[in-house]
Amino acid sequence: MSEAIEILALCCTGLYAGYMIAFQSGVMPALGEVDDASFTLVMRAVNRKVPGPLFLLLFLGSPVLPLVSCFVAPEGRGGEATVLLGAAAACALVGHTITAVGNIPLNNALDSSRERGDERAARTAFEGRWRALHTVRTLFATGAFVLTALACVVG
């Protein structure tokens, strides 16, 4: 049972980090090349679609599963692996905090800016700050994955 939780933690943190990296390396650079109206249209649509069941499973699982793994240790696992899993959960939680206090409010502001009709101003208020926050949370998501992987190796 405990090994299964570790494997789920590794899969969940890895898939979540991959999702964040895909946005960082592909989606946002591609959107950076389109006009303001297209950018805001697509980002509003993405912001409505992203919090679906699969994303929420990865989002919630990336801090919870490494944390649960700390308390459900397989026989013979050393303290070093438990520390790594705790650090992985902490990284995921920091990234999620950035999402909650930074990216989501920007998403909501972009959505409500639709009524004003100034897509250039909406993009300007959104894009730079959102991308900066996304870079930081991507680093934390990747850190959570790497730490979980290391825990599985040393465990």
Side-chain angles (χ1 to χ4, degrees):
M1 166 89 163
S2 56
E3 286 94 2
I5 294 172
E6 284 184 0
I7 291 168
L8 287 173
L10 181 63
C11 291
C12 197
T13 57
L15 289 168
Y16 185 72
Y19 182 88
M20 301 300 275
I21 290 168
F23 248 83
Q24 182 73 24
S25 65
V27 174
M28 294 311 293
L31 284 176
E33 296 180 5
V34 302
D35 63 88
D36 298 332
S38 297
F39 177 90
T40 56
L41 177 72
V42 170
M43 281 308 298
R44 287 178 184 126
V46 166
N47 292 336
R48 283 190 305 276
K49 295 294 182 183
V50 164
L54 179 58
F55 177 81
L56 291 175
L57 177 67
L58 297 176
F59 184 81
L60 297 173
S62 63
V64 169
L65 291 169
L67 187 61
V68 168
S69 293
C70 288
F71 298 104
V72 183
E75 188 173 315
R77 179 168 77 195
E80 184 178 32
T82 301
V83 169
L84 289 167
L85 287 165
C91 279
L93 286 172
V94 169
H96 287 16
T97 301
I98 292 166
T99 298
V101 302
N103 294 87
I104 291 174
L106 288 170
N107 293 347
N108 293 339
L110 182 66
D111 190 53
S112 66
S113 72
R114 177 182 8 210
E115 298 165 3
R116 291 187 286 280
D118 185 353
E119 301 305 325
R120 178 78 172 150
R123 181 179 186 167
T124 300
F126 176 86
E127 186 177 17
R129 290 175 55 207
W130 194 95
R131 287 180 80 161
L133 291 167
H134 183 72
T135 297
V136 176
R137 69 184 181 165
T138 298
L139 291 172
F140 278 104
T142 303
F145 169 63
V146 169
L147 290 166
T148 302
L150 289 172
C152 290
V153 170
V154 302

